[in-house]
Amino acid sequence: MSAPQHRLLLEVRNLEKVYHLNSGFLQRIARQPPLNLRAVGKVSFSVRSGETLGLIGESGCGKSTLARTVLRLHEPTAGSIAFEGTDITKLSHREMTLLRRRMQIIFQDPYASLNPRKSVEEIVGLPLSIHGIAQRGEIRDRVVAMLESVGLKSAHLGRFPHQFSGGQRQRIGIARALILNPSFVVCDEPVSALDVSIQAQIIALLGTLKRELGLTYLFISHDIGVIGHVSDRIAVMYLGDIVEMGPTRELLRSPKHPYTKALLSAVPQIDAGPKRERIKLTGDLPSPLSPPPGCKFHTRCPFAIERCRHETPALRNLEGDRMAACHLVDEPR
Ligand code: ADP
Ligand code: MG
Protein backbone atom coordinates (compact mmCIF):
# COMPACT_ATOMS: atom_id res chain seq x y z
CA MET A 1 0.00 0.00 0.00
CA SER A 2 1.47 3.35 -0.92
CA ALA A 3 0.19 6.51 0.72
CA PRO A 4 -2.14 8.35 -1.64
CA GLN A 5 -0.83 11.86 -2.33
CA HIS A 6 -4.12 13.49 -1.34
CA ARG A 7 -4.81 16.77 0.35
CA LEU A 8 -4.26 17.07 4.07
CA LEU A 9 -7.31 16.26 6.15
CA LEU A 10 -5.71 16.93 9.51
CA GLU A 11 -2.70 19.06 10.34
CA VAL A 12 -1.48 19.09 13.93
CA ARG A 13 1.20 21.61 14.96
CA ASN A 14 3.10 21.70 18.27
CA LEU A 15 0.25 20.05 20.12
CA GLU A 16 0.82 19.78 23.85
CA LYS A 17 -1.21 18.21 26.63
CA VAL A 18 -0.20 18.67 30.23
CA TYR A 19 -2.28 17.11 32.98
CA HIS A 20 -2.18 19.13 36.19
CA LEU A 21 -2.19 16.63 39.01
CA ASN A 22 -2.65 17.61 42.66
CA SER A 23 -4.77 20.54 41.54
CA GLY A 24 -7.96 19.34 43.24
CA PHE A 25 -9.47 21.01 46.29
CA LEU A 26 -8.30 18.36 48.75
CA GLN A 27 -4.75 18.40 47.43
CA ARG A 28 -4.71 22.19 47.63
CA ILE A 29 -5.76 22.30 51.26
CA ALA A 30 -3.26 19.53 52.04
CA ARG A 31 -0.69 21.84 50.37
CA GLN A 32 0.60 19.16 48.08
CA PRO A 33 2.98 20.55 45.45
CA PRO A 34 1.48 20.85 41.95
CA LEU A 35 2.56 18.09 39.59
CA ASN A 36 2.59 18.61 35.84
CA LEU A 37 2.45 15.52 33.71
CA ARG A 38 3.35 16.30 30.11
CA ALA A 39 1.54 13.42 28.39
CA VAL A 40 2.04 14.91 24.91
CA GLY A 41 4.81 17.41 24.19
CA LYS A 42 4.83 19.62 21.08
CA VAL A 43 3.79 16.98 18.59
CA SER A 44 3.39 17.83 14.89
CA PHE A 45 2.05 15.56 12.16
CA SER A 46 -0.51 15.50 9.41
CA VAL A 47 -2.94 12.96 8.05
CA ARG A 48 -3.72 12.89 4.34
CA SER A 49 -7.23 12.33 3.14
CA GLY A 50 -7.82 8.61 2.54
CA GLU A 51 -4.74 7.28 4.32
CA THR A 52 -4.26 5.32 7.53
CA LEU A 53 -1.65 6.81 9.82
CA GLY A 54 -0.57 4.24 12.38
CA LEU A 55 0.53 5.42 15.82
CA ILE A 56 2.64 3.02 17.85
CA GLY A 57 4.41 3.13 21.20
CA GLU A 58 4.52 1.40 24.58
CA SER A 59 1.59 1.62 26.95
CA GLY A 60 1.62 4.98 28.77
CA CYS A 61 3.54 6.88 26.07
CA GLY A 62 0.61 9.21 25.35
CA LYS A 63 -1.18 7.66 22.36
CA SER A 64 -4.71 7.91 23.79
CA THR A 65 -4.04 11.38 25.15
CA LEU A 66 -2.87 12.50 21.71
CA ALA A 67 -5.93 10.95 20.05
CA ARG A 68 -8.39 12.50 22.48
CA THR A 69 -6.71 15.88 22.37
CA VAL A 70 -6.81 15.89 18.56
CA LEU A 71 -10.60 15.39 18.78
CA ARG A 72 -10.82 17.94 21.61
CA LEU A 73 -12.33 15.35 23.92
CA HIS A 74 -9.48 16.66 26.10
CA GLU A 75 -8.61 20.35 25.77
CA PRO A 76 -5.12 20.91 24.34
CA THR A 77 -2.66 22.85 26.52
CA ALA A 78 -1.07 24.46 23.43
CA GLY A 79 -0.80 24.03 19.68
CA SER A 80 -3.13 24.00 16.70
CA ILE A 81 -5.26 21.32 15.06
CA ALA A 82 -6.44 22.10 11.52
CA PHE A 83 -9.20 19.78 10.40
CA GLU A 84 -10.45 20.24 6.81
CA GLY A 85 -8.69 23.62 6.91
CA THR A 86 -10.28 24.93 10.14
CA ASP A 87 -8.29 25.36 13.36
CA ILE A 88 -10.63 23.48 15.67
CA THR A 89 -8.86 24.68 18.83
CA LYS A 90 -10.57 28.03 18.20
CA LEU A 91 -14.11 26.65 17.79
CA SER A 92 -16.84 27.23 20.36
CA HIS A 93 -18.42 24.29 22.16
CA ARG A 94 -21.40 24.51 19.81
CA GLU A 95 -19.31 24.64 16.64
CA MET A 96 -17.25 21.74 17.95
CA THR A 97 -20.39 19.67 18.53
CA LEU A 98 -21.38 20.19 14.91
CA LEU A 99 -17.91 19.30 13.66
CA ARG A 100 -17.76 16.19 15.82
CA ARG A 101 -19.99 14.44 13.27
CA ARG A 102 -16.98 14.47 10.94
CA MET A 103 -14.46 13.22 13.55
CA GLN A 104 -15.22 10.08 15.51
CA ILE A 105 -13.45 7.56 17.74
CA ILE A 106 -13.58 3.81 18.23
CA PHE A 107 -12.40 2.80 21.69
CA GLN A 108 -10.28 -0.12 22.80
CA ASP A 109 -12.68 -1.61 25.23
CA PRO A 110 -16.16 -2.18 23.87
CA TYR A 111 -17.17 -3.57 27.28
CA ALA A 112 -16.49 -0.27 28.99
CA SER A 113 -17.57 2.08 26.23
CA LEU A 114 -21.11 0.72 25.64
CA ASN A 115 -23.86 1.60 28.09
CA PRO A 116 -24.99 -1.78 29.52
CA ARG A 117 -28.56 -0.56 30.07
CA LYS A 118 -29.17 0.55 26.48
CA SER A 119 -30.24 -1.63 23.57
CA VAL A 120 -28.21 -1.75 20.37
CA GLU A 121 -30.86 0.37 18.66
CA GLU A 122 -30.50 3.07 21.33
CA ILE A 123 -26.68 2.92 21.40
CA VAL A 124 -26.18 3.15 17.66
CA GLY A 125 -29.13 5.53 17.11
CA LEU A 126 -28.23 7.94 19.92
CA PRO A 127 -25.81 10.10 17.88
CA LEU A 128 -28.57 10.58 15.28
CA SER A 129 -31.06 11.83 17.86
CA ILE A 130 -28.49 13.97 19.72
CA HIS A 131 -27.57 15.72 16.50
CA GLY A 132 -31.25 15.90 15.46
CA ILE A 133 -30.34 14.44 12.10
CA ALA A 134 -33.05 11.86 11.60
CA GLN A 135 -36.74 11.58 12.52
CA ARG A 136 -37.80 8.79 14.88
CA GLY A 137 -39.04 6.47 12.14
CA GLU A 138 -35.95 7.06 10.05
CA ILE A 139 -33.55 6.32 12.89
CA ARG A 140 -34.40 2.63 12.96
CA ASP A 141 -33.81 2.29 9.20
CA ARG A 142 -30.45 4.05 9.43
CA VAL A 143 -29.43 1.90 12.41
CA VAL A 144 -30.43 -1.32 10.62
CA ALA A 145 -28.44 -0.30 7.52
CA MET A 146 -25.43 0.53 9.69
CA LEU A 147 -25.67 -2.77 11.61
CA GLU A 148 -25.71 -4.66 8.32
CA SER A 149 -22.60 -2.92 7.09
CA VAL A 150 -20.71 -3.95 10.25
CA GLY A 151 -21.89 -7.57 9.99
CA LEU A 152 -24.78 -7.49 12.51
CA LYS A 153 -28.50 -7.98 11.86
CA SER A 154 -31.81 -6.21 12.48
CA ALA A 155 -32.62 -9.07 14.87
CA HIS A 156 -29.94 -7.57 17.17
CA LEU A 157 -31.73 -4.20 17.56
CA GLY A 158 -33.40 -4.97 20.89
CA ARG A 159 -30.46 -6.79 22.49
CA PHE A 160 -28.13 -5.43 25.14
CA PRO A 161 -24.28 -5.32 25.14
CA HIS A 162 -23.91 -8.28 27.54
CA GLN A 163 -25.69 -10.52 25.02
CA PHE A 164 -22.84 -10.15 22.52
CA SER A 165 -19.32 -11.54 22.17
CA GLY A 166 -16.28 -9.21 22.37
CA GLY A 167 -15.95 -9.01 18.59
CA GLN A 168 -19.66 -8.27 18.15
CA ARG A 169 -19.46 -5.57 20.80
CA GLN A 170 -16.63 -3.92 18.87
CA ARG A 171 -18.87 -4.08 15.77
CA ILE A 172 -21.50 -2.14 17.77
CA GLY A 173 -18.82 0.41 18.74
CA ILE A 174 -17.84 0.78 15.09
CA ALA A 175 -21.49 1.21 14.02
CA ARG A 176 -21.94 3.93 16.65
CA ALA A 177 -18.83 5.77 15.40
CA LEU A 178 -19.82 5.58 11.74
CA ILE A 179 -23.56 6.34 11.91
CA LEU A 180 -22.96 10.10 11.49
CA ASN A 181 -20.89 9.61 8.29
CA PRO A 182 -17.58 10.92 9.63
CA SER A 183 -14.60 11.47 7.32
CA PHE A 184 -11.95 10.97 10.03
CA VAL A 185 -11.97 8.14 12.55
CA VAL A 186 -9.53 7.54 15.38
CA CYS A 187 -9.25 3.83 16.13
CA ASP A 188 -7.73 3.71 19.64
CA GLU A 189 -6.44 0.14 20.07
CA PRO A 190 -9.67 -1.21 18.52
CA VAL A 191 -8.50 -4.84 18.57
CA SER A 192 -6.21 -4.94 21.61
CA ALA A 193 -8.88 -6.39 23.89
CA LEU A 194 -9.90 -9.13 21.43
CA ASP A 195 -8.73 -12.70 20.77
CA VAL A 196 -6.24 -12.95 17.90
CA SER A 197 -8.70 -14.72 15.56
CA ILE A 198 -11.32 -12.02 16.18
CA GLN A 199 -8.71 -9.26 15.75
CA ALA A 200 -8.23 -10.28 12.11
CA GLN A 201 -11.99 -10.07 11.44
CA ILE A 202 -12.30 -6.61 12.96
CA ILE A 203 -9.21 -5.35 11.09
CA ALA A 204 -10.66 -6.69 7.84
CA LEU A 205 -14.00 -5.01 8.59
CA LEU A 206 -12.30 -1.66 9.30
CA GLY A 207 -10.47 -1.99 5.96
CA THR A 208 -13.67 -2.70 4.03
CA LEU A 209 -15.53 0.18 5.70
CA LYS A 210 -12.63 2.52 4.96
CA ARG A 211 -12.78 1.71 1.24
CA GLU A 212 -16.57 1.79 1.00
CA LEU A 213 -17.10 4.96 3.01
CA GLY A 214 -13.93 6.82 1.99
CA LEU A 215 -12.65 7.11 5.56
CA THR A 216 -9.33 8.36 6.89
CA TYR A 217 -7.93 6.65 9.98
CA LEU A 218 -5.57 7.46 12.79
CA PHE A 219 -5.00 3.90 13.96
CA ILE A 220 -3.43 3.37 17.37
CA SER A 221 -1.88 0.16 18.62
CA HIS A 222 1.01 -1.02 20.78
CA ASP A 223 1.32 -4.01 18.43
CA ILE A 224 3.77 -3.42 15.56
CA GLY A 225 2.28 -6.39 13.66
CA VAL A 226 -1.17 -4.78 13.63
CA ILE A 227 0.22 -1.31 12.81
CA GLY A 228 2.40 -2.67 10.00
CA HIS A 229 -0.62 -4.41 8.49
CA VAL A 230 -3.10 -1.53 8.51
CA SER A 231 -0.98 1.63 8.02
CA ASP A 232 0.14 3.61 4.98
CA ARG A 233 2.50 5.59 7.21
CA ILE A 234 3.62 5.02 10.78
CA ALA A 235 4.39 7.46 13.60
CA VAL A 236 6.37 6.10 16.56
CA MET A 237 5.79 7.69 19.97
CA TYR A 238 8.06 7.66 23.00
CA LEU A 239 7.22 9.46 26.26
CA GLY A 240 4.88 11.96 24.61
CA ASP A 241 6.98 12.72 21.51
CA ILE A 242 6.93 11.42 17.95
CA VAL A 243 10.46 10.06 17.48
CA GLU A 244 10.10 8.62 13.98
CA MET A 245 7.63 8.86 11.13
CA GLY A 246 7.59 7.49 7.59
CA PRO A 247 5.95 5.26 4.96
CA THR A 248 5.20 1.82 6.41
CA ARG A 249 7.32 -0.37 4.16
CA GLU A 250 10.46 1.79 4.39
CA LEU A 251 10.09 2.34 8.12
CA LEU A 252 9.73 -1.40 8.80
CA ARG A 253 12.60 -2.30 6.43
CA SER A 254 15.09 0.23 7.74
CA PRO A 255 14.02 1.85 11.00
CA LYS A 256 16.11 4.95 11.78
CA HIS A 257 15.46 5.63 15.46
CA PRO A 258 16.94 3.18 18.00
CA TYR A 259 13.55 2.99 19.72
CA THR A 260 11.86 1.89 16.49
CA LYS A 261 14.66 -0.64 15.98
CA ALA A 262 14.00 -1.98 19.46
CA LEU A 263 10.25 -2.26 18.84
CA LEU A 264 10.93 -4.19 15.64
CA SER A 265 13.55 -6.41 17.27
CA ALA A 266 10.85 -7.82 19.50
CA VAL A 267 8.99 -9.38 16.54
CA PRO A 268 10.23 -11.95 14.03
CA GLN A 269 11.24 -10.44 10.68
CA ILE A 270 8.88 -11.72 8.00
CA ASP A 271 9.82 -9.63 4.97
CA ALA A 272 12.72 -10.46 2.68
CA GLY A 273 14.51 -7.15 3.23
CA PRO A 274 18.01 -6.75 4.63
CA LYS A 275 18.53 -8.23 8.10
CA ARG A 276 17.60 -5.68 10.70
CA GLU A 277 19.87 -4.79 13.54
CA ARG A 278 18.47 -6.34 16.74
CA ILE A 279 18.29 -4.17 19.83
CA LYS A 280 16.99 -5.23 23.19
CA LEU A 281 15.17 -2.63 25.25
CA THR A 282 16.50 -2.50 28.77
CA GLY A 283 15.03 -0.73 31.76
CA ASP A 284 11.53 0.58 32.29
CA LEU A 285 9.75 3.43 30.61
CA PRO A 286 10.75 6.50 32.70
CA SER A 287 7.93 8.36 34.44
CA PRO A 288 6.44 11.17 32.33
CA LEU A 289 6.42 13.18 35.59
CA SER A 290 10.22 13.40 35.44
CA PRO A 291 11.34 12.58 31.90
CA PRO A 292 15.11 12.30 31.32
CA PRO A 293 16.80 15.48 30.05
CA GLY A 294 18.19 15.67 26.51
CA CYS A 295 16.90 12.82 24.38
CA LYS A 296 14.21 11.17 26.51
CA PHE A 297 15.27 7.78 25.14
CA HIS A 298 18.94 8.08 26.17
CA THR A 299 18.47 6.13 29.42
CA ARG A 300 17.52 3.04 27.41
CA CYS A 301 19.50 3.62 24.22
CA PRO A 302 22.51 1.37 23.57
CA PHE A 303 24.04 4.00 21.26
CA ALA A 304 23.66 7.07 23.50
CA ILE A 305 26.60 9.49 23.48
CA GLU A 306 27.29 12.45 25.75
CA ARG A 307 25.35 14.87 23.52
CA CYS A 308 22.17 12.76 23.93
CA ARG A 309 22.19 13.35 27.69
CA HIS A 310 21.68 17.11 27.46
CA GLU A 311 20.58 18.08 23.94
CA THR A 312 17.06 17.21 22.79
CA PRO A 313 17.09 16.02 19.17
CA ALA A 314 14.51 17.65 16.86
CA LEU A 315 12.33 15.56 14.56
CA ARG A 316 14.29 16.10 11.33
CA ASN A 317 13.28 15.53 7.71
CA LEU A 318 15.18 12.71 6.07
CA GLU A 319 15.05 11.34 2.55
CA GLY A 320 11.85 9.85 1.16
CA ASP A 321 9.12 11.36 3.34
CA ARG A 322 10.85 10.10 6.47
CA MET A 323 11.57 11.82 9.77
CA ALA A 324 13.50 10.89 12.89
CA ALA A 325 14.53 12.59 16.13
CA CYS A 326 18.00 11.17 16.86
CA HIS A 327 21.43 12.82 16.93
CA LEU A 328 22.99 9.69 15.46
CA VAL A 329 20.77 9.19 12.44
CA ASP A 330 22.82 9.34 9.24
CA GLU A 331 25.97 9.84 11.24
CA PRO A 332 28.56 7.07 11.35
CA ARG A 333 29.04 5.33 14.65
P1 ADP B 1 -1.23 5.30 26.06
O1 ADP B 1 -2.56 5.47 25.40
O2 ADP B 1 -0.06 5.39 25.12
O3 ADP B 1 -1.13 4.06 26.89
P2 ADP B 1 -2.08 7.54 27.73
O4 ADP B 1 -2.32 8.67 26.79
O5 ADP B 1 -3.26 6.80 28.21
O6 ADP B 1 -1.00 6.53 27.07
O7 ADP B 1 -1.26 8.08 28.99
C1 ADP B 1 -0.10 8.90 28.87
C2 ADP B 1 0.29 9.39 30.24
O8 ADP B 1 -0.69 10.33 30.69
C3 ADP B 1 0.35 8.30 31.30
O9 ADP B 1 1.42 8.59 32.17
C4 ADP B 1 -0.98 8.41 32.01
O10 ADP B 1 -0.87 8.00 33.35
C5 ADP B 1 -1.26 9.90 31.93
N1 ADP B 1 -2.71 10.22 31.85
C6 ADP B 1 -3.58 9.76 30.93
N2 ADP B 1 -4.82 10.28 31.14
C7 ADP B 1 -4.72 11.09 32.22
C8 ADP B 1 -5.64 11.92 32.94
N3 ADP B 1 -6.93 12.03 32.57
N4 ADP B 1 -5.17 12.59 34.03
C9 ADP B 1 -3.89 12.50 34.39
N5 ADP B 1 -2.96 11.75 33.76
C10 ADP B 1 -3.36 11.04 32.69
MG1 MG C 1 -4.18 4.12 25.26
Side-chain angles (χ1 to χ4, degrees), residues 19 21 37 39 58-65 288:
Y19 293 113
L21 311 179
L37 188 151
E58 282 164 286
S59 176
C61 73
K63 303 180 297 298
S64 294
T65 300

Side-chain angles (χ1 to χ4, degrees), residues 3 64 80 230 260 270 289:
S64 294
S80 66
V230 302
T260 316
I270 38 172
L289 281 169

Side-chain angles (χ1 to χ4, degrees), residues 226-251:
V226 169
I227 284 292
H229 184 72
V230 302
S231 312
D232 297 300
R233 286 190 305 136
I234 295 178
V236 182
M237 247 184 128
Y238 187 76
L239 272 179
D241 298 325
I242 291 180
V243 297
E244 175 158 8
M245 190 152 48
T248 298
R249 187 185 309 193
E250 288 79 1
L251 186 141

Side-chain angles (χ1 to χ4, degrees), residues 145-166:
M146 192 69 243
L147 289 182
E148 283 169 357
S149 43
V150 300
L152 297 170
K153 301 193 199 79
S154 59
H156 293 133
L157 278 173
R159 296 200 198 156
F160 292 84
H162 73 268
Q163 294 173 291
F164 293 90
S165 67

